[in-house]
């Protein structure tokens, strides 16, 4: 039986009078690929930001790897083993791809030696099948290449848990198949994944379980096939004609 690596209990985030995330509770088990889905504006990225330390929740509790991490800042969360990508990748544009990944390796483990960080960066760049020379400036990369770089940076920090925020957005069918294969490999190598995604075929192909947000509230949770059949989910997000 798997153990919960991440546990949320009543997580709430407000911005003034707007409640963006309202009393959300679920758990993510070690070793699974977990999907977080819902319409645009549902609160998915805000929830990830609360869990990863970019935002401090107004209420509720977060436990990661057996530790209460509620409100810890992003740097602490990274060094505890939480890596992430972003909807819009944010590399250092004047640095090369290699330098960007090496910075992430050092940030994840400040005690690492320079030669070890360089070796890790090269391994991770190869692992994600980065399609350009490692000395390419980040400013010269297209969106798809930036997503691979963002994934490499997240992995270079040596995470136990990986948050992916719309990694597949804009990819072709061939690129989607490649990403799916890579994510299965990452999971097989011991990294638990939480993915926010709108490409439902990818979600249903990869995810063990799903949680669905609408207007900041959890409206469904469970195994992927069951959630995809839920009438509230179809009405709020998938559409009545969605075919499994």
């Amino acid at each position: 039986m798997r153990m919960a690596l991440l546990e949320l209990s009543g997580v709430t985030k407000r911005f003034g009078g707007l409640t963006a995330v309202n009393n959300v509770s679920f758990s993510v088990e070690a070793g699974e690929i977990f999907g977080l889905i819902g319409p645009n504006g549902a609160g998915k990225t805000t929830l990830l930001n609360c869990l990863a330390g970019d935002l401090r929740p107004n209420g509720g509790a977060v436990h990661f790897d057996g530790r209460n991490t509620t409100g810890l800042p992003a740097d602490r969360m990274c060094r505890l083993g939480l890596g992430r990508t972003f909807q819009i990748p944010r590399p250092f544009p004047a640095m090369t791809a290699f330098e960007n990944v090496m910075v992430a390796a050092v940030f994840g483990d400040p005690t690492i030696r320079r030669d070890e960080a360089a070796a890790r960066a090269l391994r991770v760049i190869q692992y994600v099948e980065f399609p350009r020379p490692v000395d390419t400036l980040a400013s010269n990369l297209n969106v798809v290449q930036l997503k691979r770089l963002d994934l490499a940076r997240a992995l270079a920090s040596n995470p136990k848990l990986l948050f992916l925020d719309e990694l597949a957005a804009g990819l072709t069918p061939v690129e989607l198949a490649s990403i799916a294969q890579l994510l299965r490999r990452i999971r097989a190598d011991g990294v638990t994944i939480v993915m926010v995604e709108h490409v439902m075929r990818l979600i249903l192909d990869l995810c063990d379980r799903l949680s669905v947000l609408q207007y900041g509230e959890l409206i469904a949770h469970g195994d992927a096939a069951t959630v995809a059949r839920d009438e509230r989910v179809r009405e709020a997000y998938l559409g009545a004609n969605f075919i499994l």
Side-chain angles (χ1 to χ4, degrees), residues 120-243:
R120 180 182 292 176
L122 289 174
R123 284 197 306 271
V124 172
I125 289 170
Q126 183 178 28
Y127 183 91
V128 303
E129 300 174 350
F130 184 70
R132 296 288 301 276
V134 298
D135 60 353
T136 304
L137 290 177
S139 58
N140 292 333
L141 301 177
N142 64 31
V143 172
V144 174
Q145 294 160 357
L146 284 170
K147 285 178 177 288
R148 289 275 177 166
L149 178 62
D150 210 27
L151 180 57
R153 295 204 306 166
L155 291 173
S157 68
N158 199 28
K160 302 172 185 175
L161 176 63
L162 181 63
F163 286 172
L164 305 176
D165 198 350
E166 297 192 28
L167 182 68
L171 300 187
T172 67
V174 172
E175 290 162 346
L176 283 174
S178 175
I179 281 293
Q181 183 179 28
L182 177 57
L183 295 185
R184 290 191 184 97
R185 182 180 174 194
I186 291 170
R187 192 254 291 270
D189 288 338
V191 180
T192 302
I193 297 172
V194 174
M195 55 191 302
V196 169
E197 195 53 73
H198 288 292
V199 182
M200 283 305 299
R201 289 302 170 194
L202 185 67
I203 283 283
L204 293 174
D205 186 37
L206 289 177
C207 292
D208 303 289
R209 295 184 301 140
L210 302 177
S211 281
V212 187
L213 294 183
Q214 183 186 26
Y215 302 124
E217 297 188 351
L218 188 67
I219 63 169
H221 175 78
D223 70 87
T226 299
V227 168
R229 294 187 184 96
D230 187 286
E231 288 301 321
R232 291 185 66 188
V233 176
R234 285 177 170 269
E235 181 179 346
Y237 184 53
L238 296 178
N241 296 322
F242 181 81
I243 299 173

Side-chain angles (χ1 to χ4, degrees), residues 25-155:
S25 301
F26 60 78
S27 64
V28 177
E29 297 175 352
E32 73 176 329
I33 299 179
F34 186 96
L36 183 61
I37 66 171
N40 287 328
K44 304 180 298 296
T45 296
T46 298
L47 179 58
L48 288 192
N49 287 338
C50 288
L51 305 179
D54 292 297
L55 293 173
R56 186 178 183 90
N58 296 106
V62 181
H63 286 80
F64 172 51
D65 200 20
R67 178 194 302 250
N68 188 335
T69 58
T70 311
L72 287 185
D75 60 326
R76 289 282 308 280
M77 294 303 299
C78 176
R79 288 163 188 164
L80 288 173
L82 194 154
R84 71 173 300 186
T85 67
F86 295 85
Q87 286 184 27
I88 301 174
R90 298 183 283 188
F92 298 105
M95 288 185 175
T96 65
F98 168 74
E99 289 167 340
N100 267 276
V101 179
M102 187 170 171
V103 166
V106 173
F107 188 80
D109 180 6
T111 67
I112 196 170
R113 297 198 315 265
R114 183 181 178 87
D115 60 333
E116 292 174 333
R120 180 182 292 176
L122 289 174
R123 284 197 306 271
V124 172
I125 289 170
Q126 183 178 28
Y127 183 91
V128 303
E129 300 174 350
F130 184 70
R132 296 288 301 276
V134 298
D135 60 353
T136 304
L137 290 177
S139 58
N140 292 333
L141 301 177
N142 64 31
V143 172
V144 174
Q145 294 160 357
L146 284 170
K147 285 178 177 288
R148 289 275 177 166
L149 178 62
D150 210 27
L151 180 57
R153 295 204 306 166
L155 291 173

